[in-house]
């Protein structure tokens, strides 16, 4: 059985690259998660997990991460990515991620709407939210990324 993560942080960053993959890698680096291996997970924050914005994860670690990103090769295009966490009073939280061709503000609005729906669907009370978003105007090949890495 795998251990349950106890720490998390939110990050959002954007970057350019010569290719889609290097733009994505550069956005990971800009977001402070470029030297770890992301294991994409669905969207539940474990009960009792606490924020640690200064968390240093050892390079090469396998890290459960909820994330969204967009890569564009269209110069001048506005792209954005956002993540958000909805918190309950006494149990697990819900993480939502979004990316698209819109402003940071629109991405944040979409995250909040998704969190409200997720809690409503679960019959849970949403007591608090945290959202992190970024927008980027593509120069050559751009990437906008937002993520919630979970750690032990």
């Amino acid at each position: 059985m795998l251990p349950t993560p106890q720490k998390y942080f939110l990050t959002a960053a954007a970057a350019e690259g010569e290719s889609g993959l290097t733009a994505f890698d550069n956005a990971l680096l800009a977001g402070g998660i470029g030297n770890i291996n992301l294991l994409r997970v669905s969207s539940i924050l474990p009960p009792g997990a606490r924020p640690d914005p200064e968390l240093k994860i050892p390079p090469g670690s396998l890290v459960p991460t909820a994330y969204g990103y967009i890569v564009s090769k269209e110069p001048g295009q506005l792209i954005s990515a956002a993540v958000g966490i909805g918190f309950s009073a006494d149990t697990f939280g819900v993480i939502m991620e979004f990316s698209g061709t819109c402003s940071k503000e629109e991405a944040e609005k979409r995250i909040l709407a998704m969190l409200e729906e997720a809690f409503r669907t679960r019959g849970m009370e949403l007591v608090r939210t945290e959202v992190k978003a970024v927008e980027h105007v593509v120069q050559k090949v751009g990437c906008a990324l937002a993520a919630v890495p979970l750690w032990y």
Side-chain angles (χ1 to χ4, degrees):
M1 186 162 117
L2 296 174
T4 301
Q6 298 299 311
K7 300 176 184 179
Y8 71 91
F9 65 95
L10 289 84
T11 186
E16 288 284 317
E18 294 296 317
S19 69
L21 186 55
T22 58
F24 176 69
D25 186 52
N26 291 336
L28 290 170
L29 288 167
I33 56 173
N35 294 322
I36 60 176
N37 293 299
L38 306 182
L39 298 175
R40 197 167 204 175
V41 297
S42 59
S43 305
I44 299 300
L45 183 72
R50 60 189 189 284
D52 188 347
E54 303 303 316
L55 183 61
K56 300 295 182 226
I57 300 172
S61 295
L62 302 175
V63 182
T65 308
Y67 65 94
Y69 72 96
I70 183 171
V71 173
S72 173
K73 296 179 181 180
E74 188 176 317
Q77 186 173 49
L78 179 64
I79 58 176
S80 67
V83 288
I85 304 174
F87 296 89
S88 65
D90 58 358
T91 186
F92 63 88
V94 177
I95 304 168
M96 288 291 168
E97 35 319 298
F98 171 83
S99 60
T101 54
C102 62
S103 69
K104 175 182 174 181
E105 291 76 19
E106 179 62 28
E108 290 169 340
K109 286 180 190 175
R110 290 188 185 198
I111 287 290
L112 291 171
M114 287 189 287
L115 288 171
E116 290 170 359
E117 178 183 353
F119 272 74
R120 187 172 55 251
T121 301
R122 287 172 172 80
M124 295 169 55
E125 180 184 1
L126 177 61
V127 298
R128 180 173 67 86
T129 61
E130 284 183 43
V131 177
K132 187 111 180 187
V134 65
E135 68 181 20
H136 178 71
V137 177
V138 177
Q139 297 169 27
K140 183 177 179 179
V141 180
C143 177
L145 163 100
V148 180
L150 306 170
W151 193 238
Y152 311 95

